[in-house]
Amino acid sequence: MKLIVLLIIAVILYFIARSYKTEKFANIKLDIKEKFEGDLMQHEAGLLVALMAKVAKADGEVCELEAQLLKHTLNDISRHFENQDEIREKLKDIYKKEKESFNNTLEICQNLYKLTKNNYQKRVKIMEYLLNLAFIDKDFSNTEFMITEDIAKALQIKTEDFQKLVNAFETFYKKQKEAEGISLEKAYEVLEARKDDDSNIIKKKYRTLVKKHHPDIIAGQGASQNIIDEATNKLQEINEAYEIIKKSRGE
């Protein structure tokens, strides 16, 4: 039952960092380790991984961010056990098996509910962790909403509490997207370009600005050290802007 400690720590790390970088879930240490040799599908650890498999595969594929989070989670959960190598392999097997079908999702939820029946807040934290996984690729699809909603109902989580969690994640990613949008807008401004310019025009403007602000060229013109330093900073800004624009265009 100590698995909830892992979940709580992970969620706390999220709120502290306000970011879903997978490394935030790594290196969680517990002083007391459990020895378990039974069926992990009767243990919170196995049931959690099974539900993670359902959520990760809900939209048809497991993205790289989801895969990384799953990898770190399996590592951190297995370190909770004395026989961690054995447990990790069993959890991997559970994940591989459970991502292939959604038919037993309700049964898994019912088993998890039995283990957490007297701890509502624990189930809310589990739900928060599953939503973290669903949102990590920044695209909370209708399918992901439906399966997480079904899980929440089966775990007897109040509708208002589930919606509150969803709203919190949506607000976070909306703000993050807005911040990225401002950054992209600034990048076009730095390159003296427009969003509807094609890639060749962007590249041409980038090269023109590099030649104009390259510190070696400025130095060769006999400029003072202060001007050279300003050119160095400007060139860095130009390079960063160009990388942001290329990334936004998938180049």
Side-chain angles (χ1 to χ4, degrees), residues 53 67 129 146 176 183 214 229 234:
Y129 193 76
M146 287 189 291
Q176 189 180 72
S183 177
H214 200 290
D229 289 342
K234 183 63 176 178

Side-chain angles (χ1 to χ4, degrees), residues 209-219 221 223-239:
L209 288 170
V210 167
K211 291 178 181 178
K212 180 179 177 181
H213 296 283
H214 200 290
D216 291 344
I217 296 175
I218 300 295
Q221 295 171 350
S224 66
Q225 188 59 49
N226 286 341
I227 303 253
I228 294 172
D229 289 342
E230 288 177 5
T232 300
N233 292 334
K234 183 63 176 178
L235 181 62
Q236 181 178 354
E237 184 181 33
I238 290 167
N239 286 331

Side-chain angles (χ1 to χ4, degrees), residues 33-146:
K33 292 191 175 184
E34 177 182 352
K35 178 73 173 181
F36 186 82
E37 296 179 339
D39 181 4
L40 279 172
M41 289 300 286
Q42 300 300 320
H43 190 285
E44 287 180 29
L47 295 171
L48 171 63
V49 170
L51 290 180
M52 288 176 68
K54 310 298 187 187
V55 173
K57 199 64 182 294
D59 54 4
E61 59 182 1
V62 180
C63 75
E64 180 62 25
L65 286 173
E66 289 171 327
Q68 287 297 318
L69 177 55
L70 288 160
K71 176 182 177 181
H72 286 304
T73 302
L74 292 182
N75 287 338
D76 289 329
I77 290 178
S78 61
R79 280 199 290 268
H80 171 68
F81 297 87
E82 290 181 10
N83 50 333
Q84 63 182 43
D85 292 338
E86 177 188 357
I87 293 296
R88 191 181 190 285
E89 290 305 310
K90 288 184 177 181
L91 291 175
K92 285 173 62 178
D93 290 341
I94 288 174
Y95 172 75
K96 290 177 182 177
K97 177 183 177 182
E98 296 302 330
K99 73 177 183 177
E100 298 303 323
S101 172
F102 298 97
N103 294 335
N104 62 339
T105 304
L106 179 59
E107 179 184 350
I108 291 171
C109 292
Q110 289 172 339
N111 289 338
L112 184 56
Y113 177 77
K114 290 176 183 177
L115 295 176
T116 59
K117 184 175 182 179
N118 297 321
N119 195 332
Y120 179 74
Q121 288 305 314
K122 177 185 289 190
R123 298 198 302 280
V124 172
K125 292 298 181 184
I126 291 172
M127 196 67 244
E128 191 167 16
Y129 193 76
L130 294 173
L131 283 169
N132 177 13
L133 178 62
F135 270 92
I136 201 168
D137 62 353
K138 303 180 184 180
D139 180 23
F140 189 49
S141 67
N142 290 333
T143 308
E144 287 172 321
F145 174 79
M146 287 189 291

